[in-house]
Amino acid sequence: MTAGTSIGTVRCPFCQHPDSRVVDSRATDDGTAIRRRRQCPECGRRFSTAETASLTVLKRSGVLEPFSRAKVVAGVRKACQGRPVSEDQLALLAQQVEESVRAAGRAEVDAHDVGVTVLTPLRALDEVAYLRYASVYQAFESLDDFERAIARLRSEDAAPAAGRADQREATAAE
């Protein structure tokens, strides 16, 4: 949309005129919203609006609620309790989760899918917190489930390390 284009019925907050003209549009810093500067054709005053694409989460109870980064952070914070993870790292993780969920292109997402989406960035952040969180979202029922998850983490960590060792050996041989 270009500056000067009229949009639907955004009422002027000053004179309540039922229409306004867009003067300028800009994406917000994190790119999740558009800030529009508008002007009322009736009184001439300017005002700003913010537009966001709604993202709703379907809870197990069937209730729909808006996606909340704060809820992602709160859930992950429990798994990170006692771990060397900062609030800034948690906020970045929540942003990554929201971006991943939005990238799927759906306006409504299942709460369980949000929880599963947390796993990848959480693993990169802290493997102990990852195991704590995964035990809930992957429904661990026994110590065997934990042992399998730990074995999978070790084997996945060993594969890149082995690749780096092979690369170092090849470089040293040259």
Side-chain angles (χ1 to χ4, degrees):
M1 178 144 323
T2 60
T5 304
S6 209
I7 297 181
T9 57
V10 176
R11 287 192 176 275
C12 172
F14 305 108
C15 71
Q16 301 304 310
H17 185 71
D19 203 3
S20 62
R21 184 174 68 88
V22 176
V23 178
D24 184 39
S25 294
R26 296 180 188 197
T28 58
D29 291 335
D30 62 359
T32 60
I34 296 174
R35 181 183 169 274
R36 297 201 194 276
R37 194 75 181 131
R38 298 176 177 273
Q39 184 171 18
C40 175
E42 186 70 24
C43 70
R45 294 180 75 180
R46 291 185 174 198
F47 59 98
S48 295
T49 59
E51 299 174 20
T52 59
S54 65
L55 178 62
T56 55
V57 178
L58 178 62
K59 308 286 277 182
R60 275 185 279 174
S61 65
V63 173
L64 284 172
E65 63 180 47
F67 178 88
S68 167
R69 286 187 188 180
K71 285 193 172 192
V72 171
V73 168
V76 174
R77 185 180 290 123
K78 292 174 189 171
C80 292
Q81 192 170 356
R83 303 296 303 156
V85 176
S86 72
E87 287 298 314
D88 286 344
Q89 289 171 308
L90 291 176
L92 181 59
L93 181 140
Q95 179 181 341
Q96 291 169 334
V97 169
E98 182 176 4
E99 289 170 358
S100 294
V101 170
R102 285 189 184 276
R106 297 181 302 171
E108 185 179 301
V109 64
D110 188 74
H112 182 76
D113 293 342
V114 174
V116 170
T117 303
V118 167
L119 292 171
T120 301
L122 182 55
R123 179 179 177 198
L125 183 62
D126 188 286
E127 288 183 337
V128 171
Y130 165 83
L131 281 171
R132 291 173 177 171
Y133 196 87
S135 70
V136 173
Y137 280 92
Q138 294 177 342
F140 288 11
E141 294 181 1
S142 68
L143 289 176
D144 291 338
D145 293 333
F146 278 97
E147 288 171 352
R148 279 191 292 277
I150 291 168
R152 192 170 51 249
L153 284 172
R154 286 185 174 145
S155 69
E156 290 171 3
D157 284 348
R164 287 191 302 271
D166 292 343
Q167 188 178 19
R168 281 194 303 268
E169 290 172 10
T171 305
E174 293 175 356

